[in-house]
Amino acid sequence: DPDADDDLKPERKVYLPAYAIDITEVTNAEFKRFRPSFTFPRGEEQLPATNILYDDAEAYAKWAGKRIPTEQEWEKAARGSDGRRYPWGNDWKPELVAARRKTDHSKPEPPVASIPNGNYCAVVSARVQPVGKIVGGASPYGCLDMAGNAWEWVTGHPDGREDQRILRGGAVGYTERSFRTYTRGIEGSGST
């Protein structure tokens, strides 16, 4: 992609042995099975689990008999073997991104909820879509929500920095560039 940032060049080929990857993001309902204290507003069972620390995502994957994919595995699942810019192809199509969900202002917001560490936060309606809703945005391997919805953790540290982790896929509220199959986000290890 000639429009790629310089730190993403040059393009290179990577060989990966066969692996399996989930078709959709982990839902609130699935994560709650692992961690019963996990809270979210009623009716949002099929939304992707968000505000999850990397270590908690890793613990969930182990509990489910899986693992967090490597950055290379995630990218291949998103862009296929032909090096596409977006999971669906090379042309930007905003209707294929799991974009920000519209808020229903006619319903009252849920009450403030306690979270396990003793802090309090407002549990408000999420901005994400139910997982797998945008089927036209599927990757060549049938994976959904790899552009938009929620950022997804992958294993590894950028440039070996142990205090940081890598995210892929972009999220609601981000620009078109973050939805490209090769774009990465970087967060502190203790971030959600």
Side-chain angles (χ1 to χ4, degrees):
D1 183 357
D3 189 37
D5 294 333
D6 289 339
D7 64 337
L8 298 170
K9 296 176 183 175
E11 182 179 44
R12 65 191 198 288
K13 289 186 179 200
V14 175
Y15 173 79
L16 295 171
Y19 62 97
I21 192 166
D22 287 352
I23 291 173
T24 64
E25 299 159 317
V26 175
T27 65
N28 284 327
E30 291 167 334
F31 196 81
K32 188 166 183 70
R33 286 182 43 234
F34 159 67
R35 172 125 337 119
S37 62
F38 180 66
T39 60
F40 54 89
R42 186 177 16 205
E44 296 187 354
E45 292 78 9
Q46 295 307 308
L47 297 185
T50 57
N51 299 317
I52 307 296
L53 297 171
Y54 178 88
D55 290 344
D56 291 335
E58 189 173 50
Y60 166 82
K62 185 175 181 180
W63 172 86
K66 304 175 184 182
R67 63 178 173 78
I68 295 175
T70 67
E71 189 171 14
Q72 292 82 11
E73 289 168 338
W74 188 98
E75 187 169 326
K76 180 168 185 187
R79 74 189 313 202
S81 59
D82 59 359
R84 54 189 58 201
R85 184 184 280 186
Y86 309 100
W88 56 83
N90 288 320
D91 297 323
W92 173 239
K93 296 180 180 179
E95 69 276 10
L96 298 181
V97 173
R100 186 182 307 255
R101 185 172 70 157
K102 294 191 182 345
T103 303
D104 183 352
H105 294 289
S106 67
K107 295 180 182 177
E109 289 291 337
V112 171
S114 172
I115 48 180
N117 67 5
N119 293 324
Y120 291 87
C121 69
V123 179
V124 297
S125 295
R127 301 179 307 164
V128 293
Q129 301 275 350
V131 302
K133 184 175 179 182
I134 314 296
V135 295
S139 78
Y141 299 103
C143 297
L144 301 168
D145 304 327
M146 297 192 94
N149 228 14
W151 284 104
E152 299 173 16
W153 292 114
V154 295
T155 60
H157 302 277
D159 303 318
R161 292 195 51 159
E162 295 290 319
D163 62 327
Q164 295 182 330
R165 290 286 184 179
I166 303 166
L167 299 153
R168 300 299 296 265
V172 296
Y174 283 79
T175 66
E176 172 271 332
R177 290 182 80 78
S178 71
F179 304 133
R180 295 178 184 184
T181 55
Y182 52 77
T183 300
R184 63 186 350 198
I186 297 175
E187 288 289 339
S189 291
S191 298
T192 59

